[in-house]
Amino acid sequence: MKLRSVTYALLIAGVATFSTSSLAAQSLRFGYETSQTDSQHIAAKKFNELLQEKTKGELKLKLFPDSTLGNAQAMISGVRGGTIDMEMSGSNNFTGLSPVINLLDVPFLFRDTAHAHKTLDGKVGDDLKGLKIRTNNSPMNIAAFKVFGANPIPMPFAEVYTGLETRTIDAQEHPINVVWSAKFYEVQKYLSLTHHAYSPLLVVINKAKFDGLTPEFQQALISSAQEAGSYQRKLVAEDQQKIIDGMKEAGVEVITDLDRKAFSDALGTQVRDMFVKDVPQGADLLKAVDEVQ
């Protein structure tokens, strides 16, 4: 796969100690799609601060927000090919490389955010008929919206605003902080808080680039990524209500009274069965997630 994951949530942190004799300062090109007002960018800056602190300024990140280095798939290809050092994007963008990641896109998999966090940190309403909705490219997600009667349309993130504005698509699904930072509220009238998915961000680095770092720098990179991930979780939690209030002030009707059980019941086991069919250990993974308390 030629990628080395330094995922915020999934790797074990370590402690790095550095000697006074050091290598020349190194810089890693780090790209992501969201804007500079999004919590992803704020967390990326925190990641950079922590990394420089741990390495005494000898290893740092050069940040490229706003899809400067291309969309998620282009950046992943760049990391695999070595033209980009690191990138950050939603887990759905990696399902073509590793089908097991589809687990995270099974709708209604997690009971709530706490369940999602504990799972990732551990071992393991409306009528949608005919709705043209921009989805990510996860087969699990696309299949789910088809079950609901919608017309799911995968589309690069950078094209979503224009797609909504021109009515190429009727709707989109993203975490509310992304909806806010991308200003989708300017071209949407309604926000439904469905809580149907929890899509974690993955941070990946070119394997050759990672292997070329000293063990101390490798550990600093991993632990800094994890600390920045925890920092972003806190930011998102703190910003949620402020964003919802901002949406309302912008004229968006926020719908909170949704019958999640009705959607979950309508979905049945179809998407879970699809995941189990595609991934040999799928049944065990789903069971492990369900058993997290």
Side-chain angles (χ1 to χ4, degrees):
M1 193 161 128
K2 295 185 179 178
L3 294 175
R4 176 61 186 259
S5 175
V6 288
T7 311
Y8 288 159
L10 302 180
L11 295 182
I12 301 174
V15 178
T17 304
F18 298 90
S19 62
T20 54
S21 61
S22 58
L23 301 173
Q26 300 178 63
S27 179
L28 299 173
R29 286 159 51 88
F30 182 30
Y32 39 97
E33 292 184 311
T34 51
S35 72
Q36 296 182 49
T37 60
D38 193 81
S39 65
Q40 291 183 32
H41 178 67
I42 298 170
K45 292 201 297 183
K46 182 69 170 179
F47 182 7
N48 192 24
E49 291 170 8
L50 290 165
L51 183 61
Q52 292 189 64
E53 179 183 329
K54 292 173 184 289
T55 63
K56 302 188 187 306
E58 293 171 11
L59 183 62
K60 61 182 180 180
L61 305 175
K62 188 173 182 181
L63 307 180
F64 292 89
D66 290 308
S67 300
T68 306
L69 300 181
N71 62 32
Q73 292 301 326
M75 286 190 288
I76 291 170
S77 295
V79 173
R80 298 184 77 196
T83 58
I84 301 172
D85 297 316
M86 301 178 65
E87 79 91 34
M88 171 171 60
S89 55
S91 59
N92 61 282
N93 294 291
F94 298 87
T95 56
L97 298 173
S98 181
V100 70
I101 297 177
N102 277 311
L103 169 72
L104 301 171
D105 287 306
V106 173
F108 305 103
L109 176 68
F110 299 115
R111 294 183 294 275
D112 50 34
T113 301
H115 181 204
H117 287 176
K118 190 164 184 180
T119 300
L120 293 173
D121 292 343
K123 294 181 179 179
V124 273
D126 298 339
D127 183 7
L128 303 184
K129 187 174 182 180
L131 187 74
K132 294 181 294 183
I133 182 169
R134 183 272 182 185
T135 66
N136 58 45
N137 56 0
S138 166
M140 303 293 110
N141 212 30
I142 293 170
F145 277 101
K146 285 182 177 178
V147 171
F148 294 142
N151 178 20
I153 303 173
M155 177 183 291
F157 178 78
E159 299 175 12
V160 175
Y161 186 100
T162 301
L164 291 166
E165 189 174 34
T166 61
R167 298 306 300 272
T168 302
I169 52 175
D170 301 317
Q172 53 79 32
E173 50 149 8
H174 280 97
I176 62 169
N177 59 294
V178 176
V179 175
W180 181 253
S181 64
K183 298 185 178 181
F184 292 153
Y185 57 85
E186 294 179 345
V187 286
Q188 290 190 282
K189 294 181 180 180
Y190 304 98
L191 171 67
S192 297
L193 301 179
T194 59
H195 302 290
H196 67 280
Y198 183 92
S199 297
L201 292 170
L202 302 186
V203 176
V204 295
I205 184 171
N206 177 270
K207 187 176 186 302
K209 177 68 72 171
F210 184 82
D211 290 344
L213 298 174
T214 65
E216 292 84 5
F217 280 14
Q218 289 178 352
Q219 204 60 54
L221 192 67
I222 291 171
S223 60
S224 296
Q226 289 187 305
E227 289 180 43
S230 296
Y231 174 72
Q232 190 193 6
R233 284 180 178 177
K234 184 173 181 291
L235 282 178
V236 170
E238 291 173 348
D239 287 347
Q240 290 238 0
Q241 191 56 53
K242 287 189 287 186
I243 290 173
I244 290 172
D245 292 341
M247 294 274 197
K248 291 178 178 178
E249 291 177 9
V252 175
E253 182 179 342
V254 179
I255 302 167
T256 59
D257 187 18
L258 290 162
D259 188 352
R260 293 179 71 247
K261 187 176 184 302
F263 280 102
S264 181
D265 289 347
L267 190 64
T269 65
Q270 293 183 60
V271 177
R272 285 181 171 236
D273 292 344
M274 179 180 170
F275 176 71
V276 170
K277 181 180 178 181
D278 289 344
V279 178
Q281 70 273 38
D284 291 337
L285 287 170
L286 287 168
K287 182 180 178 183
V289 172
D290 292 339
E291 289 178 348
V292 173
Q293 299 299 316

